[in-house]
Structures are given as C-alpha cells and as structure tokens.
Amino acid sequence: MNLYGIELESRLLLGSARYPSPALLADAVRASGTDVVTVSLRREGGGQRSGQGFWSLIGELGVRVLPNTAGCHSVKEAVTTAQMARDIFQTAWIKLEVIGDADTLQPDVFGLVEAAAQLCADGFEVFPYTTEDLVVADRLLQAGCRVLMPWGAPIGSGRGLNNVFGLRALRAHFPDVPLIVDAGIGRPSHAVEAMELGFDAVLLNTAVALAGDPVAMAAAFARAIEAGRAGFEAQPMESRDLAAPSTPVPGRAWLP
Amino acid sequence: MHILVNGVAREVHATTMAQALDVLDYQQAIVATALNGVFVPTHRRDTTVLKEDDALEILAPMQGG
C-alpha cells in the first residue's frame, strides 16, 4: 500500500490511546504489525512530563506516526494544531479532524474541506477524517488530499460499517484513491467487511485498546485485515437470493 | 510578567518565549508552542517577545486515535 509516496507493508493503522498501560500499548503495536501509529498533542498538567515518556516509547517501536487534530471544532484550531504537530513530530502527515457534532463526533465536512485546502497548500499531506459523502470526497481531492478516510461509524462506537452502500459507492467512484475506513470498527469481522469492499486499509484504536486482551485483539485484527484483503483480491462471487446447488444435478441416482 | 501558561495564570521572569520555556522547566522537553492562538515554530522562540497577559500554549506528544 502506498500513502503519499510511502510504501507500507501493513494495511492496519493503529491508534495509541486508551490502552491500560504503556507496556500493553507497545505490545499491541508489535502484535498488530502496523507501520503507522496515530498520535496527538495535548497540554501536560501538574508538572508531569508523561508526553516525553510516551514519545520515547513510540520512538522505540520504530513506526511512522500520523499526528491527528482530534478535538478541534474549527478550521483555525485544526490548522494551528496541524502546524504544531508538524513542528514536534517532524512529519508532513496529518490526520485532519474537524468535529461538527459533540455527540456523534461527526466531521464538520465544510470546515474539513476548508482546513484541508489550507494545509495542502502549506505542504501538508492530509488524511481527512470524513463521511462517506461522495461530493465531500470530491471536494477534498480537489483541495489536494490524496488519501480519504471515511468513517465506518462514530468514533469509539464499535458499531462497524453503518452505511455499506455509501462506502461501496465511494470505493466505486474513486477506484484509484487510497481509501481508509477510520472509526467505528469494533470487531475483526468489521475490518474484514471493510477490506472485502475493497478499502485499502483500516484505522482503529478503541477496538484494540479496550479489548479484554489488547495484544491478542491486535493480532486478530492484523489477520482479519489480511484475510479481508486477500478475499477482495480473489474477487468474491456475486451473492444471489435463491439457492444454487453446488453438487452437480445430472447423474443423480434414481432411488424411488 | 503575568502570562497565561496552558490556561493557568503564571508570574514568569522572561522576555522571550524561549526564556519562558526555560523558566518553566521545559528546557529538554519536546514541545510545540503557540502564542495567543498563533503557532510559533521552534526556530522562532528565541525571537518571539512576550508581553503582559499573553497566552502561551505548550503542547506535548500524547496518545491519540
């Protein structure tokens, strides 16, 4: 898989938040086989320097980071956060989130397009967290994005793919654009479904971090994503409503 | 000088942003900065002069999804 000119072995992008401990985060990242881990920027309170320890841990894992603008509700917030992220993480990659609704964390697609245009013009390589809306996708590509990340379902909901029809249409409309399902994945079967639809990758966090055994779940997702991709590449049969016998009918014994 | 550091009122004896980061014990820390809502890159901290009631934002790497 190639994202902004970078060849990646794994089709799983993994979030780094909400793990029970830093050690479990590290083990889950290793078990997942991912090449890309998402990170964020936050204030450090009370004289603590936990962010420095976290950054050391990520450095030891040897993965590429994808900083996000999580929690930003305006274009200005998102653009400034992206600039700060580039300064600290030394990468042009940015997972662009402009949140429009506090309950569903649904993207503000109008602000998203505006922020994406500004950031692309400033040399960023933008991974926009968007909906499955075709017109918005088109505007994001016009703004300069070369990867799209439609949601499967609201962030952290674990509901899977809420709108399979819309995601399938998105894949069909943009066959050459890397498409990553981001958010809402809860189980390995959801990831398989996304990959069988022809999506290039899956980005998830909570499904692994909040699993009873995050390390085992990371490994399960890695295998699910490989299986789903292999299934897509093998060109699945078309489904049908009525049965079709798999055993040949001619030559049946006559047994009155 | 009275400034806001990550939303908290502080008395900081510094003229520039770089000096303020030193005083606030961020010398070795990997952080990103903004002043009054405007991004200030690392290489401009030495020349970014603080004034009374400025709002300094100091962000560090953190877990994210």
Side-chain angles (χ1 to χ4, degrees), chain A:
Chain A
M1 176 175 64
N2 189 298
L3 301 177
Y4 286 107
I6 301 296
E7 273 302 325
L8 301 169
E9 195 80 18
S10 170
R11 293 178 180 273
L12 168 58
L13 291 80
L14 192 61
S16 59
R18 307 186 73 183
Y19 290 81
S21 71
L24 277 172
L25 161 62
D27 287 346
V29 168
R30 291 189 193 98
S32 74
T34 187
D35 299 313
V36 179
V37 169
T38 57
V39 295
S40 186
L41 281 178
R42 286 291 183 269
R43 292 169 169 176
E44 286 186 307
Q48 294 177 335
R49 293 289 180 269
S50 58
Q52 310 304 311
F54 168 69
W55 188 227
S56 297
L57 178 69
I58 294 297
E60 289 165 13
L61 291 170
V63 290
R64 182 174 288 272
V65 294
L66 174 59
N68 69 28
T69 64
C72 292
H73 286 254
S74 72
V75 172
K76 181 180 182 301
E77 262 187 308
V79 169
T80 303
T81 301
Q83 291 168 330
M84 295 175 84
R86 182 167 62 177
D87 194 44
I88 202 167
F89 295 116
Q90 298 291 302
T91 175
W93 282 15
I94 190 73
K95 176 185 166 183
L96 180 60
E97 295 183 32
V98 183
I99 299 301
D101 180 77
D103 290 329
T104 61
L105 300 181
Q106 178 162 342
D108 167 2
V109 294
F110 307 100
L112 182 69
V113 171
E114 190 181 335
Q118 289 184 31
L119 291 170
C120 289
D122 191 23
F124 281 89
E125 294 173 331
V126 177
F127 294 65
Y129 164 62
T130 184
T131 66
E132 66 276 21
D133 188 293
L134 294 176
V135 180
V136 173
D138 197 43
R139 296 289 188 277
L140 288 167
L141 295 173
Q142 287 175 22
C145 298
R146 288 187 280 141
V147 172
L148 298 174
M149 300 210 299
W151 65 349
I155 294 170
S157 68
R159 292 176 53 85
L161 307 184
N162 264 356
N163 182 2
V164 173
F165 170 80
L167 290 169
R168 187 182 286 123
L170 192 68
R171 178 71 285 177
H173 270 72
F174 303 105
D176 301 322
V177 176
L179 298 179
I180 301 169
V181 170
D182 174 17
I185 299 291
R187 297 162 189 270
S189 56
H190 299 155
V192 171
E193 188 178 16
M195 298 305 292
E196 285 182 349
L197 286 174
F199 280 76
D200 294 275
V202 169
L203 195 164
L204 56 93
N205 186 155
T206 311
V208 169
L210 295 193
D213 185 340
V215 180
M217 189 59 84
F221 268 108
R223 291 200 289 272
I225 287 166
E226 281 180 20
R229 180 66 186 183
F232 168 71
E233 290 177 344
Q235 302 172 31
M237 63 170 279
E238 292 298 324
S239 57
R240 48 182 285 158
D241 292 331
L242 298 179
S246 49
T247 302
V249 175
R252 257 188 331 173
W254 183 67
L255 302 170

